Amino acid sequence: MSATARKTAPMPDDIRAIKGGTAIVSLTAYTTPMARMMDGVCDFALVGDSVGMVLHGMPSTLGVTMEMMIMHGQAVARGLTKTMLVIDMPFGSYEESPEQAFGNAARLMRETGAAAVKLEGGAHMADTIAFLVKRGVPVMAHIGLTPQSINTLGGYKVQGRDDQAEALKVDARAVTDAGAFSVVLEKVPAKLADDITAGIAIPTIGIGASAGCDGQILVVDDMLGLFTAFKPKFVKRYGTLGEDGKAAIRAYADEVRARSFPAPEHTFADKAPAK
Ligand code: KIV
């Protein structure tokens, strides 16, 4: 069923069942107003750890904390009724052991109401994914470019080219076998994304991947043109909110300096108007 026809938010199993059907639509969200804009339009909203770079001006996602994720997760939850909430596990909150991952995943779900968590990693995270899923935590995996590993990946490079392709297929199969209900493929060649999509039983969610993925995700501030520090090749800007915002702020500043704002209709009389 498409997001627009739904009366309640889908569950992870509903997303899994869309495999091969209508494309899954998703965006990141970090605030209540943004969540309201996508509610009932997107199948799921991801409180991504990209929040650190997009809203907090951090140089990477590595400094994002559990507390930041919980605060933004709660804000997004307040704006969603028909769109599923997925929340990222931040760097350092799940890699140490399956037990550490469970404790933090349970906290994220309990304190935000998220239906699922997302974590970065393929075959090497399979045991952790299986541990979480067996204990009631639906997991969306994330492979390809995994921004929490930029220091070992050598930057934000395309992943899975040439002789790396097989390793990425192994990752996709490993997270599927571990019980993930879907997998994000970030910044991988289109043909490889298509091959992975055809080769696994769970939906692939592409970002910088292929239109043939089972679904797509973008960072909402990128696609609205609000985040303008840089634009990855895979981003399409559907709006110019950053430019529009700057123009509005300039117009406000001009009117304040010209003393034409506030105008009489924005001010209050001494006496209340007669009823
Ligand atoms: O943090 C994030 O925004 C993400 C998406 C881009 C997939 O992980």
Side-chain angles (χ1 to χ4, degrees):
M1 190 191 291
S2 76
T4 42
R6 259 191 218 107
K7 292 210 164 59
T8 55
M11 297 300 288
D13 274 351
D14 300 320
I15 298 293
R16 187 203 305 266
I18 300 178
K19 174 78 187 174
T22 317
I24 298 164
V25 180
S26 62
L27 286 170
T28 65
Y30 318 111
T31 64
T32 309
M34 233 29 136
R36 286 197 178 123
M37 281 165 67
M38 61 187 78
D39 190 33
V41 181
C42 290
D43 295 294
F44 72 86
L46 170 72
V47 185
D49 61 353
S50 50
V51 68
M53 297 174 76
V54 173
L55 288 200
H56 294 267
M58 293 176 162
S60 74
T61 57
L62 299 179
V64 174
T65 62
M66 283 286 291
E67 286 64 35
M68 288 168 72
M69 294 308 298
I70 288 168
M71 191 183 71
H72 287 285
Q74 290 172 342
V76 171
R78 287 181 204 114
L80 298 182
T81 57
K82 295 187 206 162
T83 289
M84 183 174 86
L85 174 59
V86 181
I87 191 161
D88 253 345
M89 299 201 71
F91 180 61
S93 71
Y94 60 96
E95 300 88 336
E96 211 173 296
S97 66
E99 288 78 7
Q100 181 213 23
F102 181 78
N104 284 320
R107 182 172 171 214
L108 288 171
M109 291 175 71
R110 186 170 60 240
E111 295 189 26
T112 67
V117 300
K118 176 167 83 58
L119 57 81
E120 296 184 5
H124 69 287
M125 290 308 299
D127 287 350
T128 297
I129 294 172
F131 189 91
L132 294 180
V133 172
K134 277 191 203 122
R135 287 160 180 78
V137 177
V139 177
M140 177 178 287
H142 182 161
I143 62 173
L145 175 64
T146 46
Q148 293 175 8
S149 303
I150 43 154
N151 290 320
T152 46
L153 293 177
Y156 296 95
K157 297 177 189 155
V158 176
Q159 299 294 310
R161 279 192 169 137
D162 309 319
D163 55 356
Q164 287 180 349
E166 193 47 43
L168 214 54
K169 289 182 187 169
V170 169
D171 281 337
R173 285 196 293 269
V175 299
T176 305
D177 293 346
F181 73 91
S182 59
V183 57
V184 170
L185 300 183
E186 179 163 354
K187 215 167 174 181
V188 301
K191 163 84 170 62
L192 176 60
D194 290 343
D195 290 349
I196 290 175
T197 301
I200 59 174
I202 58 172
T204 55
I205 311 294
I207 172 161
S210 158
C213 288
D214 295 295
Q216 301 295 327
I217 188 160
L218 282 176
V219 168
V220 69
D221 291 56
D222 282 342
M223 57 83 73
L224 291 176
L226 257 176
F227 182 78
T228 52
F230 58 88
K231 187 182 94 61
K233 173 180 157 76
F234 57 76
V235 168
K236 176 170 175 183
R237 286 201 178 132
Y238 287 84
T240 53
L241 266 54
E243 284 309 312
D244 298 349
K246 269 194 216 161
I249 290 167
R250 266 187 232 112
Y252 164 74
D254 289 348
E255 290 192 8
V256 169
R257 291 189 180 114
R259 300 206 180 277
S260 59
F261 177 84
E265 66 267 29
H266 306 119
T267 62
F268 302 93
D270 278 349
K271 291 192 169 50
K275 287 199 179 140

